[in-house]
Amino acid sequence: STRAVTTVAGKGYPTPTSGFDDGAATTVASLNNPSGVCILSNVAYLSDFLNHAIRKLDLAGATVTTLAGQATFGYVDATGTAAQFYNPGGVAITDDGLLFVADANNHKVRGLFVSDGVVETLATSTGQVFGIAVDGLASALYTAETAGAVKGFGLPTDAPTVAPTDAPTVAPTEAPTVSPTEAPTVAP
């Protein structure tokens, strides 16, 4: 069966208007070539390609706000609108709110913590990074790049997920304990 398609953010057709405005999702907010979208907890995160920004669409409240970046391209790891991107493409998010951004023309994979807006560079690539996906376990990240490749990256974790071969195994309900001055230990 055919489904209706509805504009949920930006002014769109029949009279497309690009811009860089926050506000009511379909009457005030404007986007400039949005190119990536992912959803977590009734919030859509959008990469606004030509505005060099990451936008947040509250699906329940139907409002768009700028989470990070600004209408000027560049490369700065910072918080919120002090951060800069250069044509962010695909986006992917983990269940704990780490948003991965394919920063196409900076040739970078950037991480954005949606809780506080902090942007950090996670990896540098030889080609433009456009598509991005995170696996269901948040243990690997994949990028599609103009250098003619799909690349995979292992993601860092707070605690080891695989015990060394000479260490005891960890039961599913146990968790390694970590002290700031010691290496991780496994409870017997």
Side-chain angles (χ1 to χ4, degrees):
S1 71
T2 303
R3 306 261 178 161
V5 176
T6 305
T7 300
V8 295
K11 298 189 179 107
Y13 289 98
T15 54
T17 304
S18 60
F20 192 53
D21 301 305
D22 288 345
T26 58
T27 58
V28 176
S30 53
L31 307 166
N32 196 350
N33 198 10
S35 57
V37 61
C38 61
I39 297 172
L40 178 67
S41 301
N42 214 26
V43 174
Y45 296 94
L46 317 168
S47 59
D48 198 348
F49 191 78
L50 294 178
N51 279 329
H52 314 288
I54 303 302
R55 313 291 288 281
K56 177 180 172 181
L57 168 60
D58 178 342
L59 294 168
T63 57
V64 173
T65 55
T66 301
L67 184 59
Q70 49 191 280
T72 304
F73 68 86
Y75 173 64
V76 176
D77 282 344
T79 301
T81 57
Q84 287 185 305
F85 299 91
Y86 191 179
N87 300 128
V91 289
I93 196 163
T94 62
D95 289 341
D96 60 356
L98 176 56
L99 182 72
F100 297 100
V101 180
D103 194 356
N105 284 322
N106 278 325
H107 301 218
K108 309 274 186 210
V109 173
R110 312 282 290 280
L112 169 58
F113 299 91
V114 299
S115 61
D116 59 12
V118 172
V119 176
E120 296 179 358
T121 299
L122 302 176
T124 299
S125 183
T126 54
Q128 290 176 305
V129 182
F130 282 103
I132 197 161
V134 64
D135 73 355
L137 302 173
S139 61
L141 184 72
Y142 299 90
T143 60
E145 304 181 3
T146 58
V150 172
K151 295 183 179 178
F153 301 86
L155 297 177
T157 60
D158 292 333
T161 55
V162 178
T165 55
D166 60 342
T169 59
V170 178
T173 57
E174 296 176 300
T177 57
V178 178
S179 166
T181 58
E182 300 176 357
T185 58
V186 178

